[in-house]
Amino acid sequence: MTITVNGESSGGVAYPASFTLWDGVIKCATTTGYGAGINATSSATVNIHGGIIEGGTVAGENGGNIYMSAGSQLNISGGIIRNGSSTKRGLNIYVDSSASKVTEVNISGGLIEFDSARTATGLGGNIYVNLYARVYISGGTIRGGKSGNGGNIYLNTLSKLTMTGGTIEGGYSSGSGGNVYLNAASQMEMTGGTITDGDAKSTGGNIFVGYNEAYEEPYGCADAALTLCGGLVTAGTASEGDSIYANGILKVDLKGQELTNVYAKENKFTC
């Protein structure tokens, strides 16, 4: 079964309660709203166990294929989400959130990818994670994203990514963070999984860890924080920090594993 979604000005199909995809194809058209395929409203739950969601384009807005509103939940255990497009943020998936309505994303399987050529623009080539949102990756593959910063994933301020499994690979950034970009005051904890083959034209081939002094006053923290307690981060490609470039806090306890090709700003590297 193939469903063609034309969201026009309001975005894709809006789901105020819940939506589950087991099989079939959702082909997304172009919209000037949010999420050309799925636009999940607050308190909605979206479950993707199989099928394909592809080709969504949002003109001047966020979330090419899927847009998750603050307070919603996204669970991905299978299926394919691919080749979305946005000139702003979250070319495949945009995760919105707020202090009072925290959005949660659980990825345990499936594939989120770009398998076609595109220009590296916007933020978060596959996934953009906004303020306060929480993302948990235990399986699946996120690959091939391209953007201005955060080829595969961009973590905005006060958001957090916890990675216990799965693979993030092959992202490209025309700026920093070929695979993952941590904006100031965001957090990432990794105890399992693999991050590999990232390419950044500037810094942080696989992971960029940010710092911005201006964030100290409004958010209480200027540093992004990356904690590595397991998993594998290989060398990527960048002008500096082929594997990791850390302006912010980098904490490492890999139980004897060697971490190479890392740039860590003075007094910010903690073991």
Side-chain angles (χ1 to χ4, degrees):
M1 180 180 67
T2 299
I3 300 172
T4 300
V5 178
N6 185 353
E8 298 179 346
S9 62
S10 60
V13 179
Y15 297 98
S18 64
F19 170 76
T20 299
L21 180 65
W22 290 98
D23 200 355
V25 180
I26 297 178
K27 288 187 174 293
C28 313
T30 299
T31 176
T32 55
Y34 298 95
I38 294 175
N39 183 350
T41 59
S42 182
S43 300
T45 298
V46 175
N47 302 301
I48 300 173
H49 302 301
I52 299 172
I53 302 173
E54 63 181 356
T57 298
V58 290
E61 293 298 346
N62 303 315
N65 279 316
I66 298 175
Y67 180 91
M68 303 300 296
S69 297
S72 60
Q73 181 170 323
L74 174 62
N75 303 309
I76 302 172
S77 63
I80 300 172
I81 302 168
R82 66 188 179 198
N83 300 338
S85 180
S86 166
T87 55
K88 295 180 73 175
R89 304 173 187 90
L91 282 69
N92 266 319
I93 301 172
Y94 182 95
V95 184
D96 205 0
S97 193
S98 68
S100 61
K101 295 182 177 181
V102 176
T103 302
E104 182 176 302
V105 177
N106 300 289
I107 301 172
S108 59
L111 174 63
I112 304 170
E113 70 168 351
F114 281 94
D115 62 2
S116 60
R118 66 169 303 279
T119 304
T121 59
L123 301 174
N126 272 309
I127 304 173
Y128 182 96
V129 185
N130 206 11
L131 302 168
Y132 299 100
R134 297 292 182 262
V135 177
Y136 303 90
I137 300 175
S138 59
T141 299
I142 301 169
R143 71 184 183 196
K146 296 180 181 180
S147 72
N149 284 318
N152 274 314
I153 298 176
Y154 186 102
L155 298 174
N156 199 13
T157 303
L158 301 179
S159 64
K160 183 176 181 180
L161 168 61
T162 301
M163 186 173 182
T164 58
T167 301
I168 302 172
E169 64 183 6
Y172 171 77
S173 169
S174 58
S176 296
N179 274 315
V180 182
Y181 185 104
L182 279 70
N183 196 23
S186 65
Q187 298 179 60
M188 178 177 174
E189 295 181 358
M190 183 177 181
T191 59
T194 301
I195 300 177
T196 186
D197 295 332
D199 183 3
K201 187 173 183 181
S202 183
T203 52
N206 277 311
I207 304 173
F208 176 88
V209 185
Y211 169 86
N212 190 332
E213 187 176 355
Y215 283 44
E216 186 72 49
E217 178 81 21
Y219 301 118
C221 182
D223 292 285
L226 171 62
T227 302
L228 299 177
C229 296
L232 177 65
V233 181
T234 68
T237 304
S239 62
E240 194 166 14
D242 288 349
S243 181
I244 298 170
Y245 186 99
N247 267 334
I249 297 169
L250 176 60
K251 300 179 181 179
V252 179
D253 182 8
L254 293 179
K255 299 176 178 59
Q257 294 184 53
E258 185 178 4
L259 185 64
T260 60
N261 300 293
V262 174
Y263 170 88
K265 191 174 180 180
E266 186 178 0
N267 298 325
K268 293 290 177 68
F269 188 91
T270 304
C271 292

PDB file of all heavy atoms in Angstrom, residues 81-120:
ATOM      1  N   ILE A  81      13.005   5.570   7.177  1.00  0.00           N
ATOM      2  CA  ILE A  81      12.648   6.985   7.020  1.00  0.00           C
ATOM      3  C   ILE A  81      13.777   7.618   6.226  1.00  0.00           C
ATOM      4  O   ILE A  81      14.935   7.618   6.673  1.00  0.00           O
ATOM      5  CB  ILE A  81      12.501   7.679   8.391  1.00  0.00           C
ATOM      6  CG1 ILE A  81      11.447   6.960   9.233  1.00  0.00           C
ATOM      7  CG2 ILE A  81      12.124   9.145   8.210  1.00  0.00           C
ATOM      8  CD1 ILE A  81      11.453   7.386  10.687  1.00  0.00           C
ATOM      9  N   ARG A  82      13.480   8.168   5.054  1.00  0.00           N
ATOM     10  CA  ARG A  82      14.586   8.584   4.201  1.00  0.00           C
ATOM     11  C   ARG A  82      14.252   9.782   3.310  1.00  0.00           C
ATOM     12  O   ARG A  82      13.095  10.067   3.008  1.00  0.00           O
ATOM     13  CB  ARG A  82      15.038   7.424   3.321  1.00  0.00           C
ATOM     14  CG  ARG A  82      14.015   6.960   2.294  1.00  0.00           C
ATOM     15  CD  ARG A  82      14.480   5.686   1.596  1.00  0.00           C
ATOM     16  NE  ARG A  82      13.502   5.206   0.625  1.00  0.00           N
ATOM     17  CZ  ARG A  82      13.481   3.977   0.136  1.00  0.00           C
ATOM     18  NH1 ARG A  82      14.389   3.095   0.541  1.00  0.00           N
ATOM     19  NH2 ARG A  82      12.553   3.617  -0.735  1.00  0.00           N
ATOM     20  N   ASN A  83      15.331  10.490   2.985  1.00  0.00           N
ATOM     21  CA  ASN A  83      15.341  11.514   1.937  1.00  0.00           C
ATOM     22  C   ASN A  83      14.331  12.628   2.139  1.00  0.00           C
ATOM     23  O   ASN A  83      13.661  13.065   1.204  1.00  0.00           O
ATOM     24  CB  ASN A  83      15.146  10.865   0.563  1.00  0.00           C
ATOM     25  CG  ASN A  83      16.240   9.856   0.238  1.00  0.00           C
ATOM     26  OD1 ASN A  83      17.324   9.919   0.800  1.00  0.00           O
ATOM     27  ND2 ASN A  83      15.941   8.929  -0.645  1.00  0.00           N
ATOM     28  N   GLY A  84      14.224  13.112   3.383  1.00  0.00           N
ATOM     29  CA  GLY A  84      13.450  14.319   3.619  1.00  0.00           C
ATOM     30  C   GLY A  84      14.268  15.552   3.262  1.00  0.00           C
ATOM     31  O   GLY A  84      15.475  15.483   3.025  1.00  0.00           O
ATOM     32  N   SER A  85      13.622  16.724   3.278  1.00  0.00           N
ATOM     33  CA  SER A  85      14.328  17.936   2.891  1.00  0.00           C
ATOM     34  C   SER A  85      13.767  19.141   3.632  1.00  0.00           C
ATOM     35  O   SER A  85      12.550  19.310   3.739  1.00  0.00           O
ATOM     36  CB  SER A  85      14.217  18.165   1.378  1.00  0.00           C
ATOM     37  OG  SER A  85      14.893  19.342   1.000  1.00  0.00           O
ATOM     38  N   SER A  86      14.676  19.954   4.149  1.00  0.00           N
ATOM     39  CA  SER A  86      14.316  21.214   4.804  1.00  0.00           C
ATOM     40  C   SER A  86      15.500  22.155   4.690  1.00  0.00           C
ATOM     41  O   SER A  86      16.648  21.711   4.789  1.00  0.00           O
ATOM     42  CB  SER A  86      13.973  20.982   6.277  1.00  0.00           C
ATOM     43  OG  SER A  86      13.940  22.210   6.979  1.00  0.00           O
ATOM     44  N   THR A  87      15.241  23.437   4.499  1.00  0.00           N
ATOM     45  CA  THR A  87      16.336  24.399   4.461  1.00  0.00           C
ATOM     46  C   THR A  87      16.685  24.877   5.861  1.00  0.00           C
ATOM     47  O   THR A  87      17.625  25.641   6.041  1.00  0.00           O
ATOM     48  CB  THR A  87      15.955  25.619   3.611  1.00  0.00           C
ATOM     49  OG1 THR A  87      14.735  26.177   4.113  1.00  0.00           O
ATOM     50  CG2 THR A  87      15.752  25.223   2.154  1.00  0.00           C
ATOM     51  N   LYS A  88      15.936  24.400   6.877  1.00  0.00           N
ATOM     52  CA  LYS A  88      16.168  24.864   8.240  1.00  0.00           C
ATOM     53  C   LYS A  88      16.689  23.736   9.129  1.00  0.00           C
ATOM     54  O   LYS A  88      17.876  23.565   9.286  1.00  0.00           O
ATOM     55  CB  LYS A  88      14.892  25.484   8.815  1.00  0.00           C
ATOM     56  CG  LYS A  88      14.473  26.765   8.082  1.00  0.00           C
ATOM     57  CD  LYS A  88      13.223  27.374   8.655  1.00  0.00           C
ATOM     58  CE  LYS A  88      13.457  28.032   9.998  1.00  0.00           C
ATOM     59  NZ  LYS A  88      12.245  28.730  10.485  1.00  0.00           N
ATOM     60  N   ARG A  89      15.830  22.921   9.714  1.00  0.00           N
ATOM     61  CA  ARG A  89      16.264  21.969  10.734  1.00  0.00           C
ATOM     62  C   ARG A  89      15.527  20.635  10.596  1.00  0.00           C
ATOM     63  O   ARG A  89      14.345  20.608  10.318  1.00  0.00           O
ATOM     64  CB  ARG A  89      15.996  22.536  12.128  1.00  0.00           C
ATOM     65  CG  ARG A  89      16.634  23.884  12.388  1.00  0.00           C
ATOM     66  CD  ARG A  89      16.185  24.458  13.720  1.00  0.00           C
ATOM     67  NE  ARG A  89      16.656  25.816  13.914  1.00  0.00           N
ATOM     68  CZ  ARG A  89      15.987  26.897  13.549  1.00  0.00           C
ATOM     69  NH1 ARG A  89      14.812  26.782  12.960  1.00  0.00           N
ATOM     70  NH2 ARG A  89      16.497  28.097  13.759  1.00  0.00           N
ATOM     71  N   GLY A  90      16.272  19.545  10.858  1.00  0.00           N
ATOM     72  CA  GLY A  90      15.655  18.228  10.888  1.00  0.00           C
ATOM     73  C   GLY A  90      15.150  17.779   9.542  1.00  0.00           C
ATOM     74  O   GLY A  90      13.949  17.715   9.315  1.00  0.00           O
ATOM     75  N   LEU A  91      16.064  17.416   8.655  1.00  0.00           N
ATOM     76  CA  LEU A  91      15.654  17.130   7.282  1.00  0.00           C
ATOM     77  C   LEU A  91      14.790  15.887   7.170  1.00  0.00           C
ATOM     78  O   LEU A  91      13.889  15.815   6.338  1.00  0.00           O
ATOM     79  CB  LEU A  91      16.883  17.039   6.386  1.00  0.00           C
ATOM     80  CG  LEU A  91      17.474  18.403   5.991  1.00  0.00           C
ATOM     81  CD1 LEU A  91      18.104  19.143   7.156  1.00  0.00           C
ATOM     82  CD2 LEU A  91      18.492  18.250   4.887  1.00  0.00           C
ATOM     83  N   ASN A  92      15.025  14.896   8.032  1.00  0.00           N
ATOM     84  CA  ASN A  92      14.111  13.762   8.114  1.00  0.00           C
ATOM     85  C   ASN A  92      13.153  13.896   9.294  1.00  0.00           C
ATOM     86  O   ASN A  92      11.945  13.709   9.145  1.00  0.00           O
ATOM     87  CB  ASN A  92      14.894  12.447   8.232  1.00  0.00           C
ATOM     88  CG  ASN A  92      15.133  11.790   6.889  1.00  0.00           C
ATOM     89  OD1 ASN A  92      14.258  11.759   6.043  1.00  0.00           O
ATOM     90  ND2 ASN A  92      16.340  11.275   6.688  1.00  0.00           N
ATOM     91  N   ILE A  93      13.701  14.228  10.485  1.00  0.00           N
ATOM     92  CA  ILE A  93      12.874  14.296  11.695  1.00  0.00           C
ATOM     93  C   ILE A  93      13.243  15.534  12.509  1.00  0.00           C
ATOM     94  O   ILE A  93      14.422  15.786  12.765  1.00  0.00           O
ATOM     95  CB  ILE A  93      13.080  13.042  12.583  1.00  0.00           C
ATOM     96  CG1 ILE A  93      12.729  11.763  11.814  1.00  0.00           C
ATOM     97  CG2 ILE A  93      12.237  13.139  13.855  1.00  0.00           C
ATOM     98  CD1 ILE A  93      13.093  10.486  12.562  1.00  0.00           C
ATOM     99  N   TYR A  94      12.229  16.275  12.912  1.00  0.00           N
ATOM    100  CA  TYR A  94      12.423  17.409  13.828  1.00  0.00           C
ATOM    101  C   TYR A  94      11.693  17.088  15.128  1.00  0.00           C
ATOM    102  O   TYR A  94      10.506  16.769  15.129  1.00  0.00           O
ATOM    103  CB  TYR A  94      11.861  18.695  13.231  1.00  0.00           C
ATOM    104  CG  TYR A  94      12.070  19.926  14.109  1.00  0.00           C
ATOM    105  CD1 TYR A  94      13.159  20.762  13.908  1.00  0.00           C
ATOM    106  CD2 TYR A  94      11.187  20.240  15.126  1.00  0.00           C
ATOM    107  CE1 TYR A  94      13.357  21.889  14.703  1.00  0.00           C
ATOM    108  CE2 TYR A  94      11.374  21.352  15.937  1.00  0.00           C
ATOM    109  CZ  TYR A  94      12.461  22.177  15.704  1.00  0.00           C
ATOM    110  OH  TYR A  94      12.652  23.279  16.499  1.00  0.00           O
ATOM    111  N   VAL A  95      12.432  17.173  16.241  1.00  0.00           N
ATOM    112  CA  VAL A  95      11.873  16.868  17.554  1.00  0.00           C
ATOM    113  C   VAL A  95      11.771  18.156  18.352  1.00  0.00           C
ATOM    114  O   VAL A  95      12.776  18.689  18.821  1.00  0.00           O
ATOM    115  CB  VAL A  95      12.745  15.848  18.302  1.00  0.00           C
ATOM    116  CG1 VAL A  95      12.088  15.473  19.630  1.00  0.00           C
ATOM    117  CG2 VAL A  95      12.993  14.607  17.457  1.00  0.00           C
ATOM    118  N   ASP A  96      10.566  18.678  18.506  1.00  0.00           N
ATOM    119  CA  ASP A  96      10.367  19.886  19.298  1.00  0.00           C
ATOM    120  C   ASP A  96      10.113  19.495  20.755  1.00  0.00           C
ATOM    121  O   ASP A  96       9.757  18.353  21.056  1.00  0.00           O
ATOM    122  CB  ASP A  96       9.188  20.696  18.762  1.00  0.00           C
ATOM    123  CG  ASP A  96       9.300  22.171  19.114  1.00  0.00           C
ATOM    124  OD1 ASP A  96      10.293  22.564  19.766  1.00  0.00           O
ATOM    125  OD2 ASP A  96       8.409  22.952  18.727  1.00  0.00           O
ATOM    126  N   SER A  97      10.298  20.433  21.665  1.00  0.00           N
ATOM    127  CA  SER A  97      10.107  20.142  23.079  1.00  0.00           C
ATOM    128  C   SER A  97      10.099  21.446  23.860  1.00  0.00           C
ATOM    129  O   SER A  97      10.392  22.512  23.320  1.00  0.00           O
ATOM    130  CB  SER A  97      11.234  19.224  23.580  1.00  0.00           C
ATOM    131  OG  SER A  97      10.923  18.676  24.850  1.00  0.00           O
ATOM    132  N   SER A  98       9.756  21.352  25.144  1.00  0.00           N
ATOM    133  CA  SER A  98       9.793  22.519  26.023  1.00  0.00           C
ATOM    134  C   SER A  98      10.003  22.028  27.454  1.00  0.00           C
ATOM    135  O   SER A  98       9.911  20.831  27.736  1.00  0.00           O
ATOM    136  CB  SER A  98       8.498  23.321  25.924  1.00  0.00           C
ATOM    137  OG  SER A  98       7.409  22.595  26.462  1.00  0.00           O
ATOM    138  N   ALA A  99      10.254  22.949  28.367  1.00  0.00           N
ATOM    139  CA  ALA A  99      10.481  22.571  29.760  1.00  0.00           C
ATOM    140  C   ALA A  99       9.255  21.904  30.368  1.00  0.00           C
ATOM    141  O   ALA A  99       9.365  20.979  31.181  1.00  0.00           O
ATOM    142  CB  ALA A  99      10.872  23.790  30.576  1.00  0.00           C
ATOM    143  N   SER A 100       8.068  22.339  29.983  1.00  0.00           N
ATOM    144  CA  SER A 100       6.834  21.794  30.556  1.00  0.00           C
ATOM    145  C   SER A 100       6.269  20.628  29.743  1.00  0.00           C
ATOM    146  O   SER A 100       5.472  19.847  30.246  1.00  0.00           O
ATOM    147  CB  SER A 100       5.774  22.894  30.666  1.00  0.00           C
ATOM    148  OG  SER A 100       5.462  23.427  29.392  1.00  0.00           O
ATOM    149  N   LYS A 101       6.704  20.492  28.480  1.00  0.00           N
ATOM    150  CA  LYS A 101       6.236  19.413  27.607  1.00  0.00           C
ATOM    151  C   LYS A 101       7.443  18.763  26.940  1.00  0.00           C
ATOM    152  O   LYS A 101       7.828  19.111  25.831  1.00  0.00           O
ATOM    153  CB  LYS A 101       5.259  19.945  26.556  1.00  0.00           C
ATOM    154  CG  LYS A 101       3.961  20.485  27.128  1.00  0.00           C
ATOM    155  CD  LYS A 101       3.035  20.948  26.015  1.00  0.00           C
ATOM    156  CE  LYS A 101       1.703  21.434  26.561  1.00  0.00           C
ATOM    157  NZ  LYS A 101       0.787  21.873  25.483  1.00  0.00           N
ATOM    158  N   VAL A 102       8.038  17.812  27.656  1.00  0.00           N
ATOM    159  CA  VAL A 102       9.256  17.166  27.170  1.00  0.00           C
ATOM    160  C   VAL A 102       8.902  16.064  26.175  1.00  0.00           C
ATOM    161  O   VAL A 102       8.082  15.193  26.464  1.00  0.00           O
ATOM    162  CB  VAL A 102      10.065  16.589  28.342  1.00  0.00           C
ATOM    163  CG1 VAL A 102      11.283  15.827  27.830  1.00  0.00           C
ATOM    164  CG2 VAL A 102      10.487  17.704  29.289  1.00  0.00           C
ATOM    165  N   THR A 103       9.518  16.101  25.016  1.00  0.00           N
ATOM    166  CA  THR A 103       9.304  15.094  23.988  1.00  0.00           C
ATOM    167  C   THR A 103      10.343  13.988  24.117  1.00  0.00           C
ATOM    168  O   THR A 103      11.512  14.250  24.367  1.00  0.00           O
ATOM    169  CB  THR A 103       9.399  15.729  22.584  1.00  0.00           C
ATOM    170  OG1 THR A 103       8.428  16.762  22.483  1.00  0.00           O
ATOM    171  CG2 THR A 103       9.142  14.694  21.501  1.00  0.00           C
ATOM    172  N   GLU A 104       9.896  12.741  23.946  1.00  0.00           N
ATOM    173  CA  GLU A 104      10.782  11.585  24.071  1.00  0.00           C
ATOM    174  C   GLU A 104      10.811  10.809  22.759  1.00  0.00           C
ATOM    175  O   GLU A 104       9.777  10.549  22.149  1.00  0.00           O
ATOM    176  CB  GLU A 104      10.310  10.676  25.196  1.00  0.00           C
ATOM    177  CG  GLU A 104      11.194   9.465  25.443  1.00  0.00           C
ATOM    178  CD  GLU A 104      10.730   8.646  26.633  1.00  0.00           C
ATOM    179  OE1 GLU A 104      10.646   9.211  27.744  1.00  0.00           O
ATOM    180  OE2 GLU A 104      10.455   7.445  26.458  1.00  0.00           O
ATOM    181  N   VAL A 105      12.027  10.426  22.346  1.00  0.00           N
ATOM    182  CA  VAL A 105      12.218   9.624  21.137  1.00  0.00           C
ATOM    183  C   VAL A 105      12.990   8.364  21.507  1.00  0.00           C
ATOM    184  O   VAL A 105      14.056   8.446  22.123  1.00  0.00           O
ATOM    185  CB  VAL A 105      12.983  10.405  20.056  1.00  0.00           C
ATOM    186  CG1 VAL A 105      13.226   9.522  18.835  1.00  0.00           C
ATOM    187  CG2 VAL A 105      12.218  11.659  19.661  1.00  0.00           C
ATOM    188  N   ASN A 106      12.439   7.203  21.136  1.00  0.00           N
ATOM    189  CA  ASN A 106      13.086   5.913  21.396  1.00  0.00           C
ATOM    190  C   ASN A 106      13.356   5.217  20.065  1.00  0.00           C
ATOM    191  O   ASN A 106      12.419   4.904  19.329  1.00  0.00           O
ATOM    192  CB  ASN A 106      12.192   5.027  22.266  1.00  0.00           C
ATOM    193  CG  ASN A 106      11.892   5.656  23.608  1.00  0.00           C
ATOM    194  OD1 ASN A 106      12.754   5.747  24.465  1.00  0.00           O
ATOM    195  ND2 ASN A 106      10.653   6.109  23.791  1.00  0.00           N
ATOM    196  N   ILE A 107      14.640   4.984  19.769  1.00  0.00           N
ATOM    197  CA  ILE A 107      15.016   4.326  18.515  1.00  0.00           C
ATOM    198  C   ILE A 107      15.691   3.006  18.868  1.00  0.00           C
ATOM    199  O   ILE A 107      16.800   2.979  19.419  1.00  0.00           O
ATOM    200  CB  ILE A 107      15.963   5.204  17.683  1.00  0.00           C
ATOM    201  CG1 ILE A 107      15.292   6.543  17.355  1.00  0.00           C
ATOM    202  CG2 ILE A 107      16.361   4.484  16.393  1.00  0.00           C
ATOM    203  CD1 ILE A 107      16.214   7.552  16.697  1.00  0.00           C
ATOM    204  N   SER A 108      15.021   1.893  18.580  1.00  0.00           N
ATOM    205  CA  SER A 108      15.553   0.566  18.888  1.00  0.00           C
ATOM    206  C   SER A 108      15.820  -0.255  17.633  1.00  0.00           C
ATOM    207  O   SER A 108      16.361  -1.365  17.717  1.00  0.00           O
ATOM    208  CB  SER A 108      14.581  -0.194  19.797  1.00  0.00           C
ATOM    209  OG  SER A 108      13.311  -0.328  19.179  1.00  0.00           O
ATOM    210  N   GLY A 109      15.442   0.259  16.480  1.00  0.00           N
ATOM    211  CA  GLY A 109      15.654  -0.444  15.226  1.00  0.00           C
ATOM    212  C   GLY A 109      15.317   0.451  14.055  1.00  0.00           C
ATOM    213  O   GLY A 109      15.038   1.639  14.204  1.00  0.00           O
ATOM    214  N   GLY A 110      15.335  -0.129  12.872  1.00  0.00           N
ATOM    215  CA  GLY A 110      14.988   0.625  11.682  1.00  0.00           C
ATOM    216  C   GLY A 110      16.171   1.368  11.086  1.00  0.00           C
ATOM    217  O   GLY A 110      17.308   1.281  11.560  1.00  0.00           O
ATOM    218  N   LEU A 111      15.875   2.119  10.027  1.00  0.00           N
ATOM    219  CA  LEU A 111      16.887   2.849   9.277  1.00  0.00           C
ATOM    220  C   LEU A 111      16.408   4.262   9.000  1.00  0.00           C
ATOM    221  O   LEU A 111      15.314   4.466   8.478  1.00  0.00           O
ATOM    222  CB  LEU A 111      17.168   2.120   7.959  1.00  0.00           C
ATOM    223  CG  LEU A 111      18.099   2.797   6.966  1.00  0.00           C
ATOM    224  CD1 LEU A 111      19.503   2.953   7.545  1.00  0.00           C
ATOM    225  CD2 LEU A 111      18.146   1.998   5.655  1.00  0.00           C
ATOM    226  N   ILE A 112      17.229   5.246   9.361  1.00  0.00           N
ATOM    227  CA  ILE A 112      16.969   6.652   9.050  1.00  0.00           C
ATOM    228  C   ILE A 112      18.131   7.117   8.189  1.00  0.00           C
ATOM    229  O   ILE A 112      19.287   7.086   8.639  1.00  0.00           O
ATOM    230  CB  ILE A 112      16.859   7.500  10.330  1.00  0.00           C
ATOM    231  CG1 ILE A 112      15.780   6.939  11.252  1.00  0.00           C
ATOM    232  CG2 ILE A 112      16.556   8.961   9.983  1.00  0.00           C
ATOM    233  CD1 ILE A 112      15.766   7.567  12.636  1.00  0.00           C
ATOM    234  N   GLU A 113      17.856   7.560   6.958  1.00  0.00           N
ATOM    235  CA  GLU A 113      18.974   7.753   6.053  1.00  0.00           C
ATOM    236  C   GLU A 113      18.695   8.757   4.934  1.00  0.00           C
ATOM    237  O   GLU A 113      17.562   9.135   4.658  1.00  0.00           O
ATOM    238  CB  GLU A 113      19.342   6.422   5.399  1.00  0.00           C
ATOM    239  CG  GLU A 113      18.292   5.920   4.403  1.00  0.00           C
ATOM    240  CD  GLU A 113      18.791   4.767   3.542  1.00  0.00           C
ATOM    241  OE1 GLU A 113      20.002   4.448   3.590  1.00  0.00           O
ATOM    242  OE2 GLU A 113      17.973   4.195   2.796  1.00  0.00           O
ATOM    243  N   PHE A 114      19.800   9.156   4.302  1.00  0.00           N
ATOM    244  CA  PHE A 114      19.791   9.748   2.977  1.00  0.00           C
ATOM    245  C   PHE A 114      20.566   8.816   2.072  1.00  0.00           C
ATOM    246  O   PHE A 114      21.713   8.462   2.367  1.00  0.00           O
ATOM    247  CB  PHE A 114      20.458  11.130   2.974  1.00  0.00           C
ATOM    248  CG  PHE A 114      19.563  12.210   3.499  1.00  0.00           C
ATOM    249  CD1 PHE A 114      19.623  12.567   4.827  1.00  0.00           C
ATOM    250  CD2 PHE A 114      18.653  12.840   2.682  1.00  0.00           C
ATOM    251  CE1 PHE A 114      18.796  13.545   5.338  1.00  0.00           C
ATOM    252  CE2 PHE A 114      17.812  13.814   3.179  1.00  0.00           C
ATOM    253  CZ  PHE A 114      17.882  14.174   4.507  1.00  0.00           C
ATOM    254  N   ASP A 115      19.959   8.408   0.974  1.00  0.00           N
ATOM    255  CA  ASP A 115      20.660   7.564   0.018  1.00  0.00           C
ATOM    256  C   ASP A 115      20.709   8.227  -1.351  1.00  0.00           C
ATOM    257  O   ASP A 115      20.881   7.579  -2.371  1.00  0.00           O
ATOM    258  CB  ASP A 115      20.026   6.178  -0.077  1.00  0.00           C
ATOM    259  CG  ASP A 115      18.579   6.209  -0.576  1.00  0.00           C
ATOM    260  OD1 ASP A 115      18.073   7.308  -0.893  1.00  0.00           O
ATOM    261  OD2 ASP A 115      17.966   5.135  -0.651  1.00  0.00           O
ATOM    262  N   SER A 116      20.555   9.545  -1.358  1.00  0.00           N
ATOM    263  CA  SER A 116      20.649  10.298  -2.607  1.00  0.00           C
ATOM    264  C   SER A 116      21.447  11.573  -2.349  1.00  0.00           C
ATOM    265  O   SER A 116      21.606  12.016  -1.216  1.00  0.00           O
ATOM    266  CB  SER A 116      19.255  10.646  -3.142  1.00  0.00           C
ATOM    267  OG  SER A 116      18.548  11.433  -2.217  1.00  0.00           O
ATOM    268  N   ALA A 117      21.936  12.171  -3.408  1.00  0.00           N
ATOM    269  CA  ALA A 117      22.750  13.375  -3.272  1.00  0.00           C
ATOM    270  C   ALA A 117      21.884  14.560  -2.851  1.00  0.00           C
ATOM    271  O   ALA A 117      20.740  14.704  -3.265  1.00  0.00           O
ATOM    272  CB  ALA A 117      23.429  13.679  -4.601  1.00  0.00           C
ATOM    273  N   ARG A 118      22.443  15.416  -1.973  1.00  0.00           N
ATOM    274  CA  ARG A 118      21.759  16.649  -1.598  1.00  0.00           C
ATOM    275  C   ARG A 118      22.794  17.626  -1.089  1.00  0.00           C
ATOM    276  O   ARG A 118      23.901  17.264  -0.698  1.00  0.00           O
ATOM    277  CB  ARG A 118      20.707  16.403  -0.511  1.00  0.00           C
ATOM    278  CG  ARG A 118      21.268  15.962   0.817  1.00  0.00           C
ATOM    279  CD  ARG A 118      20.190  16.005   1.892  1.00  0.00           C
ATOM    280  NE  ARG A 118      19.615  17.331   2.003  1.00  0.00           N
ATOM    281  CZ  ARG A 118      20.163  18.326   2.678  1.00  0.00           C
ATOM    282  NH1 ARG A 118      21.302  18.152   3.294  1.00  0.00           N
ATOM    283  NH2 ARG A 118      19.584  19.488   2.739  1.00  0.00           N
ATOM    284  N   THR A 119      22.425  18.925  -1.077  1.00  0.00           N
ATOM    285  CA  THR A 119      23.315  19.965  -0.596  1.00  0.00           C
ATOM    286  C   THR A 119      23.335  19.982   0.926  1.00  0.00           C
ATOM    287  O   THR A 119      22.309  19.812   1.575  1.00  0.00           O
ATOM    288  CB  THR A 119      22.841  21.344  -1.112  1.00  0.00           C
ATOM    289  OG1 THR A 119      22.771  21.293  -2.540  1.00  0.00           O
ATOM    290  CG2 THR A 119      23.801  22.439  -0.698  1.00  0.00           C
ATOM    291  N   ALA A 120      24.531  20.197   1.487  1.00  0.00           N
ATOM    292  CA  ALA A 120      24.684  20.208   2.945  1.00  0.00           C
ATOM    293  C   ALA A 120      24.275  21.557   3.512  1.00  0.00           C
ATOM    294  O   ALA A 120      25.094  22.461   3.673  1.00  0.00           O
ATOM    295  CB  ALA A 120      26.122  19.881   3.318  1.00  0.00           C
TER     296      ALA A 120
END
